[in-house]
Amino acid sequence: PEPGRCAHFVLRKRRFCRMIPAPGRRFCGEHGHEEEQNDRKRIPCPLDPKHTVYEDQLQKHLKKCNSREKPKPVYFVQDINAGLKDVAEIPEKQVPLSSLSIEELQNLIIKLKKASSGLELHLKEQILSHQALQEALNDPKNGESAFKHLKQQASILGNMERLHLLGPGRCFIEFGAGRGKLSHWVDVALQNVESVQFLLVERATTRFKVDGKHKRRDSIFERLQVDIQHLCLNKVPLLEKKKLPVVGIGKHLCGAATDLALRCLVESYSTCCDGEDEEPAPKRSRAAQTEVAPHRSAGNESTTEDHKPVAGIVIALCCHHKCDWTHYVGREFFKSVGLGPVEFHYFQRMSSWATCGMRETTSKASTSEDSEDQNDGTEEHEQTLSRTESGSDTLQGILSVEERKEIGCLCKRLIDHGRIEYLQQQGYTAALQYYTESAVSLENVLLTAVPSPSLIPEPTI
């Protein structure tokens, strides 16, 4: 071992432990049980057996162990955005797509095409850009991967500007924020604008965050380390203090996370507001009324609806194969066209055909866009699908690659249409559009929503 380092040899790494032991000891605390003169016994930590602890110090260790359960933040409300959990609707056992017979697959495709008939399947192109990213886009130091991410971020900002969502007096909530690049560029675009707040929602700890670049004193950045499923926006102190209109954004918000974010913004947010009706404060009651009325009374009380607390939603969709019937916001739409959880299960698996088809080397085809953020890089996500999940053995020789790709796209549009109808029922004008070229990202569809015109106080929005 190196001088002053632990004498324990780590077989897996084929080197000595590099920890520094206490003065007069040969081994560090983790490997102290090997100390001959030390009779104290070390045992695996009951909270995380990957590390050990002295048995006589177990109780003291449990109080400060990093694996202990942390206190829940004030905005944590268990499963508030999870959706209805009707066990009767969920099949006990999901049969893999590869286990279906040819006849069963053909029946599924017939159901898919029947349910999709009459839907708007040819999306409008809204491939835009924004001045805030022009310098970065023209920087030759950026590689191909960085350039692709910048083009997507520029188009998202361009679409936000088209919808008049880039303005003062707003709180931008980035769901699945990762490193926080999208919020960073929104902040750059609003560098001369006052009263702007940012909430970055990410359930995992993230390395190489760009939060340190935000040096403007008049813009506030705050990270919320919580699963979207349990996030109650109305209890976030930043939103309680300054009740600014909220704009929900996201770049490649994976699968069910999109549905959780939609519920968080347009459904559970109003539920939290309803719980405070006993306080007759004008701002609170007005926000509660505008959220609930479109869902329950379909706009019959438009005279009392001044505005919605959610000013807009702009989310780049991703990974439909990771959607979940329990969380899906478009269940009512599926039922209206004669479909249920079983068909949804197969359609979400088949949706992967749109981006990976039945290519033998999905890993090679998936590396065209390296992930910049941990929730970016859709093609990287597609690598999680195996050939068995895609049902390649069953469909070999039945459908061509182009036909499978077309069916995959159809599954995506059907799932997305359920989200559009959900937002429309909640009082929003929602749309799908292509926001970038498929060469930049195979997942190139952007979901946007703004309050319906009758619910907007300012005619410019």
Side-chain angles (χ1 to χ4, degrees):
E2 298 177 17
R5 302 289 178 172
C6 177
H8 173 78
F9 187 79
V10 186
L11 289 175
R12 181 173 60 86
K13 298 183 178 180
R14 298 181 182 179
R15 61 167 175 78
F16 284 94
C17 173
R18 292 173 179 169
M19 298 297 289
I20 300 176
R25 300 291 180 88
R26 295 181 57 242
F27 297 91
C28 66
E30 183 65 25
H31 304 116
H33 59 281
E34 299 181 25
E35 197 87 43
E36 293 182 2
Q37 71 246 30
N38 193 346
D39 296 330
R40 299 167 70 190
K41 181 181 178 182
R42 292 187 71 88
I43 59 173
C45 173
L47 299 179
D48 182 7
K50 292 182 180 179
H51 66 273
T52 60
V53 60
Y54 283 116
E55 188 175 25
D56 57 358
Q57 291 186 338
L58 177 61
Q59 297 305 318
K60 180 181 178 181
H61 171 79
L62 292 178
K63 295 179 181 178
K64 61 180 182 179
C65 178
N66 289 333
S67 299
R68 72 190 186 280
E69 185 176 0
K70 308 291 192 306
K72 302 296 183 187
V74 293
Y75 46 79
F76 181 97
V77 178
Q78 184 72 36
D79 294 329
I80 186 171
N81 305 313
L84 298 175
K85 292 186 176 181
D86 189 349
V87 181
E89 287 190 10
I90 305 174
E92 293 184 4
K93 187 177 181 181
Q94 301 283 12
V95 179
L97 191 62
S98 57
S99 300
L100 297 179
S101 65
I102 296 175
E103 291 75 18
E104 289 173 322
L105 277 171
Q106 288 175 337
N107 287 334
L108 275 174
I109 294 172
I110 291 172
K111 285 184 176 181
L112 173 66
K113 292 183 176 179
K114 182 180 178 181
S116 303
S117 62
L119 301 183
E120 182 56 54
L121 302 176
H122 301 287
L123 306 184
K124 184 179 179 181
E125 281 194 356
Q126 293 285 359
I127 303 175
L128 307 176
S129 189
H130 196 278
Q131 187 62 34
L133 289 95
Q134 288 309 305
E135 184 179 347
L137 285 168
N138 296 327
D139 188 351
K141 295 181 180 179
N142 287 319
E144 183 182 359
S145 175
F147 181 70
K148 288 181 177 181
H149 283 286
L150 288 169
K151 286 196 71 174
Q152 294 174 68
Q153 290 156 348
S155 185
I156 291 175
L157 261 67
N159 277 277
M160 292 175 67
E161 187 172 53
R162 176 178 63 87
L163 297 170
H164 303 282
L165 296 177
L166 292 177
R170 295 195 173 154
C171 178
F172 295 88
I173 305 177
E174 183 179 358
F175 293 93
R179 294 171 59 192
K181 275 294 188 70
L182 185 56
S183 292
H184 166 71
W185 288 117
V186 173
D187 184 46
V188 173
L190 298 174
Q191 55 183 337
N192 297 320
V193 176
E194 297 180 353
S195 187
V196 178
Q197 302 177 0
F198 292 88
L199 291 176
L200 282 66
V201 182
E202 179 60 61
R203 66 181 178 182
T205 54
T206 307
R207 301 175 65 193
F208 310 117
K209 297 185 288 287
V210 297
D211 301 27
K213 295 184 178 181
H214 311 134
K215 298 179 180 179
R216 289 176 53 216
R217 290 178 294 178
D218 54 343
S219 63
I220 302 173
F221 278 79
E222 182 178 328
R223 278 191 173 261
L224 307 180
Q225 189 175 340
V226 62
D227 195 309
I228 306 172
Q229 183 171 332
H230 313 301
L231 172 61
C232 180
L233 289 177
N234 195 59
K235 295 182 181 294
V236 177
L238 193 64
L239 290 177
E240 282 188 320
K241 184 178 179 180
K242 295 183 179 180
K243 299 175 178 62
L244 299 178
V246 163
V247 178
I249 60 176
K251 177 173 177 283
H252 287 171
L253 195 55
C254 200
T258 294
D259 299 296
L260 295 173
L262 293 179
R263 288 188 188 278
C264 180
L265 288 166
V266 305
E267 191 171 324
S268 64
Y269 192 22
S270 65
T271 302
C272 289
C273 291
D274 289 343
E276 300 190 31
D277 279 18
E278 61 270 15
E279 295 184 14
K283 290 185 179 180
R284 180 71 69 181
S285 60
R286 182 172 63 182
Q289 290 170 4
T290 54
E291 272 293 315
V292 178
H295 179 62
R296 295 181 180 175
S297 61
N300 292 333
E301 299 178 2
S302 58
T303 55
T304 61
E305 295 172 350
D306 292 330
H307 72 283
K308 277 179 170 290
V310 179
I313 301 170
V314 180
I315 295 175
L317 303 174
C318 173
C319 296
H320 294 72
H321 65 276
K322 292 186 178 180
C323 291
D324 187 280
W325 177 258
T326 303
H327 306 315
Y328 181 51
V329 296
R331 289 196 301 257
E332 292 304 318
F333 162 71
F334 258 63
K335 293 175 184 177
S336 69
V337 293
L339 302 175
V342 175
E343 290 83 6
F344 180 85
H345 166 72
Y346 293 124
F347 291 164
Q348 53 133 165
R349 304 312 301 172
M350 291 159 65
S351 69
S352 64
W353 298 352
T355 51
C356 70
M358 293 299 171
R359 291 169 290 189
E360 296 287 339
T361 56
T362 55
S363 59
K364 291 182 180 178
S366 300
T367 56
S368 61
E369 179 181 341
D370 297 328
S371 177
E372 181 188 68
D373 294 346
Q374 66 185 43
N375 66 325
D376 286 347
T378 302
E379 290 78 358
E380 180 181 276
H381 292 214
E382 294 294 350
Q383 293 183 40
T384 60
L385 283 171
S386 65
R387 291 184 70 234
T388 304
E389 289 175 303
S390 299
S392 57
D393 295 334
T394 307
L395 288 178
Q396 194 69 35
I398 301 173
L399 297 172
S400 67
V401 172
E402 286 302 316
E403 287 174 326
R404 290 190 287 264
K405 184 177 179 180
E406 182 182 349
I407 291 171
C409 290
L410 210 55
C411 291
K412 284 178 175 287
R413 298 295 76 80
L414 190 68
I415 292 173
D416 290 339
H417 186 80
R419 291 164 169 167
I420 294 296
E421 285 213 355
Y422 166 80
L423 288 168
Q424 290 173 345
Q425 291 171 2
Q426 295 287 337
Y428 288 83
T429 299
L432 299 168
Q433 52 261 307
Y434 293 118
Y435 78 103
T436 192
E437 301 90 349
S438 58
V440 174
S441 176
L442 293 175
E443 295 279 22
N444 59 343
V445 174
L446 188 72
L447 175 116
T448 60
V450 292
S452 297
S454 61
L455 302 175
I456 304 175
E458 301 87 2
T460 58
I461 296 181

Coordinates of all heavy atoms in Angstrom, one line a residue, residues 266-327:
V266 N -52.2 21.0 -14.3 CA -53.6 21.4 -14.5 C -54.7 20.7 -13.7 O -55.8 21.0 -13.8 CB -54.0 21.2 -16.0 CG1 -53.0 21.9 -16.9 CG2 -54.0 19.7 -16.4
E267 N -54.2 19.8 -12.9 CA -55.2 19.0 -12.1 C -55.0 19.1 -10.6 O -55.7 19.7 -9.8 CB -55.3 17.6 -12.5 CG -56.5 16.8 -11.9 CD -56.6 15.4 -12.6 OE1 -56.3 15.3 -13.8 OE2 -56.9 14.5 -11.8
S268 N -53.8 18.6 -10.1 CA -53.6 18.6 -8.7 C -53.3 20.0 -8.2 O -53.5 20.3 -7.0 CB -52.4 17.6 -8.3 OG -51.2 18.1 -8.9
Y269 N -52.8 20.9 -9.0 CA -52.5 22.2 -8.6 C -53.8 22.9 -8.2 O -53.9 23.6 -7.2 CB -51.9 23.0 -9.8 CG -51.3 24.4 -9.4 CD1 -50.9 24.7 -8.1 CD2 -51.1 25.3 -10.4 CE1 -50.4 25.9 -7.8 CE2 -50.6 26.6 -10.1 CZ -50.2 26.9 -8.8 OH -49.7 28.1 -8.5
S270 N -54.9 22.7 -8.9 CA -56.2 23.2 -8.6 C -56.8 22.5 -7.4 O -57.5 23.1 -6.6 CB -57.2 23.1 -9.8 OG -57.4 21.8 -10.1
T271 N -56.5 21.2 -7.2 CA -56.9 20.5 -6.0 C -56.4 21.1 -4.8 O -57.0 21.3 -3.8 CB -56.6 19.0 -6.1 OG1 -57.1 18.5 -7.3 CG2 -57.1 18.2 -4.9
C272 N -55.1 21.4 -4.8 CA -54.4 22.1 -3.7 C -55.1 23.4 -3.4 O -55.3 23.8 -2.2 CB -52.9 22.2 -3.9 SG -52.0 20.7 -3.9
C273 N -55.4 24.1 -4.4 CA -56.0 25.4 -4.3 C -57.4 25.3 -3.6 O -57.8 26.1 -2.8 CB -56.1 26.1 -5.6 SG -54.5 26.7 -6.3
D274 N -58.1 24.2 -4.1 CA -59.5 24.0 -3.5 C -59.5 23.8 -2.0 O -60.4 24.2 -1.3 CB -60.1 22.8 -4.2 CG -60.5 23.1 -5.6 OD1 -60.5 24.3 -6.0 OD2 -60.7 22.2 -6.4
G275 N -58.4 23.2 -1.5 CA -58.3 22.9 -0.1 C -58.2 24.1 0.7 O -58.2 24.1 2.0
E276 N -58.0 25.3 0.1 CA -57.8 26.5 0.9 C -58.9 27.5 0.7 O -58.8 28.7 0.8 CB -56.5 27.2 0.5 CG -55.3 26.3 0.8 CD -54.0 27.0 0.7 OE1 -53.9 28.2 1.0 OE2 -53.0 26.4 0.4
D277 N -60.1 27.0 0.3 CA -61.2 27.8 0.0 C -61.8 28.6 1.2 O -62.5 29.5 1.1 CB -62.4 27.0 -0.6 CG -62.2 26.8 -2.1 OD1 -61.4 26.8 -2.7 OD2 -62.7 26.5 -2.7
E278 N -61.4 28.0 2.4 CA -61.9 28.7 3.6 C -61.3 30.0 3.8 O -61.8 30.9 4.5 CB -61.7 27.8 4.8 CG -60.2 27.5 5.1 CD -59.7 26.2 4.4 OE1 -60.4 25.8 3.5 OE2 -58.7 25.7 4.8
E279 N -60.2 30.3 3.1 CA -59.6 31.6 3.2 C -60.1 32.5 2.1 O -59.9 32.2 0.9 CB -58.0 31.5 3.1 CG -57.4 30.8 4.3 CD -55.9 30.8 4.2 OE1 -55.4 31.6 3.4 OE2 -55.3 30.0 4.9
P280 N -60.8 33.5 2.3 CA -61.5 34.3 1.3 C -60.6 35.3 0.6 O -61.0 36.3 0.1 CB -62.6 35.0 2.0 CG -62.0 35.2 3.4 CD -61.2 34.1 3.7
A281 N -59.3 35.0 0.5 CA -58.4 35.9 -0.2 C -58.7 35.9 -1.6 O -58.8 34.9 -2.3 CB -56.9 35.5 0.1
P282 N -58.8 37.1 -2.3 CA -59.3 37.2 -3.7 C -58.4 36.4 -4.6 O -58.8 35.7 -5.5 CB -59.2 38.7 -3.9 CG -59.3 39.3 -2.6 CD -58.6 38.4 -1.6
K283 N -57.0 36.5 -4.4 CA -56.1 35.8 -5.4 C -56.3 34.3 -5.3 O -56.3 33.6 -6.3 CB -54.7 36.2 -5.1 CG -54.3 37.7 -5.4 CD -52.9 38.0 -5.2 CE -52.6 39.4 -5.5 NZ -51.1 39.7 -5.3
R284 N -56.4 33.8 -4.1 CA -56.5 32.3 -3.9 C -57.7 31.8 -4.5 O -57.8 30.8 -5.2 CB -56.3 32.0 -2.4 CG -56.4 30.5 -2.1 CD -55.2 29.8 -2.6 NE -54.0 30.2 -1.8 CZ -52.8 29.8 -2.0 NH1 -52.6 29.0 -3.0 NH2 -51.8 30.2 -1.3
S285 N -58.9 32.4 -4.2 CA -60.2 31.9 -4.6 C -60.3 32.1 -6.1 O -60.9 31.2 -6.8 CB -61.3 32.7 -3.9 OG -61.2 34.1 -4.3
R286 N -59.7 33.1 -6.7 CA -59.8 33.3 -8.1 C -59.0 32.2 -8.9 O -59.5 31.6 -9.8 CB -59.2 34.7 -8.5 CG -59.3 34.9 -10.0 CD -58.9 36.4 -10.3 NE -57.5 36.6 -10.0 CZ -56.9 37.8 -10.1 NH1 -57.6 38.8 -10.6 NH2 -55.7 37.9 -9.8
A287 N -57.9 31.9 -8.3 CA -57.1 30.8 -8.9 C -57.8 29.5 -8.9 O -57.8 28.7 -9.8 CB -55.7 30.7 -8.3
A288 N -58.4 29.2 -7.7 CA -59.2 28.0 -7.5 C -60.3 27.9 -8.5 O -60.6 26.8 -9.1 CB -59.7 27.9 -6.1
Q289 N -61.1 29.0 -8.7 CA -62.2 29.0 -9.6 C -61.8 28.7 -11.0 O -62.4 27.9 -11.7 CB -63.0 30.3 -9.5 CG -63.7 30.5 -8.1 CD -64.2 31.9 -8.0 OE1 -64.1 32.7 -8.9 NE2 -64.8 32.2 -6.9
T290 N -60.8 29.4 -11.4 CA -60.4 29.2 -12.8 C -59.9 27.8 -13.2 O -60.0 27.4 -14.3 CB -59.3 30.3 -13.2 OG1 -58.2 30.1 -12.3 CG2 -59.9 31.7 -13.2
E291 N -59.3 27.1 -12.2 CA -58.8 25.8 -12.4 C -59.9 24.8 -12.5 O -59.9 23.9 -13.3 CB -57.8 25.4 -11.3 CG -56.4 25.8 -11.6 CD -55.8 25.0 -12.8 OE1 -56.0 23.8 -12.9 OE2 -55.2 25.7 -13.7
V292 N -60.9 24.9 -11.6 CA -61.9 23.9 -11.5 C -63.0 24.0 -12.5 O -63.5 23.1 -13.0 CB -62.5 23.9 -10.0 CG1 -63.6 22.9 -9.9 CG2 -61.4 23.7 -9.0
A293 N -63.4 25.3 -12.8 CA -64.6 25.5 -13.6 C -64.5 24.9 -15.0 O -65.5 24.3 -15.4 CB -64.8 27.0 -13.8
P294 N -63.4 25.0 -15.7 CA -63.4 24.4 -17.1 C -63.6 22.9 -17.0 O -64.2 22.3 -18.0 CB -62.0 24.7 -17.6 CG -61.5 25.9 -16.8 CD -62.2 25.7 -15.4
H295 N -63.2 22.2 -16.0 CA -63.3 20.7 -15.9 C -64.7 20.3 -15.5 O -65.3 19.3 -16.0 CB -62.3 20.2 -14.8 CG -62.4 18.7 -14.6 ND1 -62.1 17.9 -15.7 CD2 -62.7 18.0 -13.6 CE1 -62.3 16.6 -15.2 NE2 -62.6 16.7 -14.0
R296 N -65.4 21.1 -14.6 CA -66.7 20.7 -14.1 C -67.8 21.3 -14.8 O -68.9 20.7 -15.0 CB -66.7 21.0 -12.6 CG -65.7 20.2 -11.8 CD -65.8 20.5 -10.3 NE -64.9 19.8 -9.5 CZ -64.7 20.0 -8.2 NH1 -65.4 20.9 -7.5 NH2 -63.8 19.3 -7.5
S297 N -67.7 22.6 -15.1 CA -68.9 23.3 -15.7 C -68.7 23.7 -17.2 O -69.5 24.3 -17.7 CB -69.1 24.6 -14.9 OG -68.0 25.4 -15.0
A298 N -67.6 23.2 -17.8 CA -67.3 23.5 -19.2 C -67.5 24.9 -19.6 O -68.0 25.3 -20.6 CB -68.2 22.6 -20.1
G299 N -67.1 25.8 -18.7 CA -67.0 27.3 -19.0 C -68.4 28.0 -18.8 O -68.6 29.1 -19.3
N300 N -69.3 27.4 -18.0 CA -70.6 28.0 -17.8 C -70.5 29.2 -17.0 O -71.4 30.1 -16.9 CB -71.6 27.0 -17.2 CG -72.0 25.9 -18.2 OD1 -71.9 26.1 -19.4 ND2 -72.3 24.7 -17.6
E301 N -69.4 29.3 -16.2 CA -69.3 30.5 -15.3 C -68.1 31.3 -15.8 O -67.2 31.7 -15.0 CB -69.0 30.0 -13.8 CG -70.2 29.2 -13.3 CD -69.9 28.7 -11.9 OE1 -68.9 29.0 -11.4 OE2 -70.8 28.0 -11.3
S302 N -68.1 31.6 -17.0 CA -66.9 32.4 -17.6 C -66.8 33.8 -17.1 O -65.8 34.4 -17.1 CB -67.1 32.4 -19.1 OG -68.3 33.0 -19.5
T303 N -67.9 34.3 -16.5 CA -67.8 35.7 -16.0 C -67.0 35.8 -14.8 O -66.4 36.9 -14.5 CB -69.2 36.2 -15.6 OG1 -69.8 35.3 -14.7 CG2 -70.1 36.3 -16.9
T304 N -66.8 34.7 -14.1 CA -66.0 34.7 -12.8 C -64.5 34.2 -13.1 O -63.7 34.2 -12.2 CB -66.6 33.9 -11.7 OG1 -66.7 32.5 -12.2 CG2 -68.0 34.4 -11.4
E305 N -64.3 33.8 -14.3 CA -63.0 33.2 -14.6 C -62.1 34.3 -15.2 O -62.2 34.6 -16.4 CB -63.1 32.0 -15.6 CG -63.9 30.9 -15.0 CD -64.2 29.8 -16.0 OE1 -63.9 30.1 -17.2 OE2 -64.6 28.7 -15.7
D306 N -61.2 34.8 -14.4 CA -60.3 35.9 -14.8 C -59.1 35.3 -15.6 O -58.7 35.8 -16.6 CB -59.8 36.7 -13.7 CG -61.0 37.5 -13.1 OD1 -61.9 37.8 -13.8 OD2 -61.0 37.8 -11.9
H307 N -58.5 34.3 -15.0 CA -57.3 33.7 -15.7 C -57.0 32.3 -15.0 O -57.6 32.0 -14.0 CB -56.1 34.6 -15.5 CG -55.6 34.6 -14.1 ND1 -56.2 35.3 -13.1 CD2 -54.5 34.0 -13.5 CE1 -55.5 35.1 -11.9 NE2 -54.5 34.3 -12.2
K308 N -56.1 31.6 -15.7 CA -55.7 30.3 -15.1 C -54.3 30.5 -14.5 O -53.5 31.3 -15.0 CB -55.6 29.3 -16.2 CG -56.9 28.6 -16.5 CD -56.7 27.6 -17.6 CE -57.9 26.7 -17.8 NZ -58.1 25.8 -16.7
P309 N -54.0 29.8 -13.4 CA -52.7 30.0 -12.7 C -51.6 29.4 -13.6 O -50.4 29.7 -13.4 CB -52.8 29.2 -11.4 CG -54.0 28.3 -11.6 CD -54.9 29.0 -12.5
V310 N -52.0 28.5 -14.6 CA -51.0 27.9 -15.5 C -51.1 28.7 -16.8 O -52.1 28.6 -17.5 CB -51.2 26.4 -15.7 CG1 -50.2 25.9 -16.7 CG2 -51.1 25.7 -14.4
A311 N -50.1 29.5 -17.1 CA -50.2 30.3 -18.3 C -49.9 29.6 -19.6 O -50.3 30.0 -20.7 CB -49.2 31.5 -18.2
G312 N -49.1 28.5 -19.5 CA -48.8 27.7 -20.7 C -48.0 26.5 -20.4 O -47.4 26.3 -19.3
I313 N -48.0 25.5 -21.4 CA -47.2 24.3 -21.2 C -46.5 24.1 -22.6 O -47.1 24.1 -23.6 CB -48.2 23.1 -21.0 CG1 -48.9 23.3 -19.6 CG2 -47.4 21.8 -20.9 CD1 -50.0 22.3 -19.4
V314 N -45.2 23.8 -22.5 CA -44.4 23.5 -23.7 C -43.5 22.3 -23.3 O -42.5 22.5 -22.6 CB -43.6 24.7 -24.1 CG1 -42.8 24.3 -25.4 CG2 -44.5 25.9 -24.4
I315 N -43.8 21.1 -23.8 CA -43.0 19.9 -23.5 C -42.7 19.1 -24.7 O -43.6 18.8 -25.5 CB -43.9 19.0 -22.5 CG1 -44.1 19.7 -21.2 CG2 -43.2 17.7 -22.3 CD1 -45.0 19.0 -20.2
A316 N -41.4 18.8 -24.9 CA -40.9 17.9 -26.0 C -41.1 16.5 -25.5 O -40.6 16.1 -24.5 CB -39.5 18.2 -26.3
L317 N -42.0 15.8 -26.3 CA -42.4 14.4 -25.8 C -41.3 13.4 -26.1 O -40.4 13.6 -27.0 CB -43.7 14.0 -26.5 CG -44.8 15.0 -26.3 CD1 -46.0 14.6 -27.2 CD2 -45.2 15.0 -24.9
C318 N -41.3 12.3 -25.4 CA -40.2 11.3 -25.5 C -40.7 10.0 -24.9 O -41.5 9.9 -24.0 CB -39.0 11.8 -24.7 SG -37.7 10.6 -24.6
C319 N -40.2 8.9 -25.5 CA -40.2 7.5 -24.9 C -41.7 7.1 -24.5 O -42.0 6.8 -23.4 CB -39.3 7.4 -23.7 SG -37.6 7.6 -24.1
H320 N -42.5 7.0 -25.5 CA -43.9 6.6 -25.3 C -44.0 5.1 -24.8 O -45.0 4.7 -24.1 CB -44.8 6.7 -26.6 CG -44.9 8.1 -27.0 ND1 -43.9 8.9 -27.5 CD2 -46.0 8.9 -27.0 CE1 -44.4 10.1 -27.8 NE2 -45.6 10.1 -27.5
H321 N -42.9 4.3 -25.1 CA -42.9 3.0 -24.6 C -42.8 2.9 -23.1 O -42.9 1.8 -22.5 CB -41.8 2.2 -25.3 CG -40.4 2.6 -24.9 ND1 -39.8 3.7 -25.6 CD2 -39.6 2.2 -24.0 CE1 -38.6 3.8 -25.0 NE2 -38.4 3.0 -24.1
K322 N -42.5 4.0 -22.4 CA -42.4 4.0 -20.9 C -43.6 4.6 -20.3 O -43.6 4.9 -19.1 CB -41.2 4.8 -20.5 CG -39.9 4.1 -20.9 CD -38.7 4.8 -20.3 CE -37.4 4.1 -20.6 NZ -36.2 4.7 -20.0
C323 N -44.7 4.8 -21.1 CA -46.0 5.3 -20.5 C -46.6 4.2 -19.6 O -46.3 3.0 -19.7 CB -46.9 5.7 -21.6 SG -46.4 7.2 -22.5
D324 N -47.5 4.7 -18.8 CA -48.2 3.7 -17.9 C -49.7 4.1 -17.8 O -50.1 5.2 -17.7 CB -47.6 3.9 -16.5 CG -48.1 2.8 -15.5 OD1 -49.2 3.0 -15.0 OD2 -47.4 1.9 -15.3
W325 N -50.5 3.1 -17.9 CA -52.0 3.3 -17.9 C -52.4 3.9 -16.6 O -53.4 4.8 -16.7 CB -52.7 1.9 -18.1 CG -54.2 2.0 -18.1 CD1 -55.0 1.6 -17.0 CD2 -55.0 2.5 -19.1 NE1 -56.3 1.9 -17.4 CE2 -56.4 2.4 -18.6 CE3 -54.8 3.0 -20.4 CZ2 -57.5 2.7 -19.4 CZ3 -55.9 3.3 -21.2 CH2 -57.2 3.2 -20.7
T326 N -51.8 3.6 -15.5 CA -52.2 4.2 -14.2 C -52.1 5.7 -14.2 O -52.9 6.4 -13.8 CB -51.4 3.6 -13.1 OG1 -51.6 2.2 -13.1 CG2 -51.9 4.2 -11.7
H327 N -51.0 6.2 -14.8 CA -50.7 7.6 -14.8 C -51.2 8.3 -16.1 O -51.4 9.6 -16.0 CB -49.2 7.9 -14.8 CG -48.5 7.2 -13.6 ND1 -49.0 7.2 -12.3 CD2 -47.4 6.4 -13.5 CE1 -48.2 6.5 -11.5 NE2 -47.2 6.0 -12.2

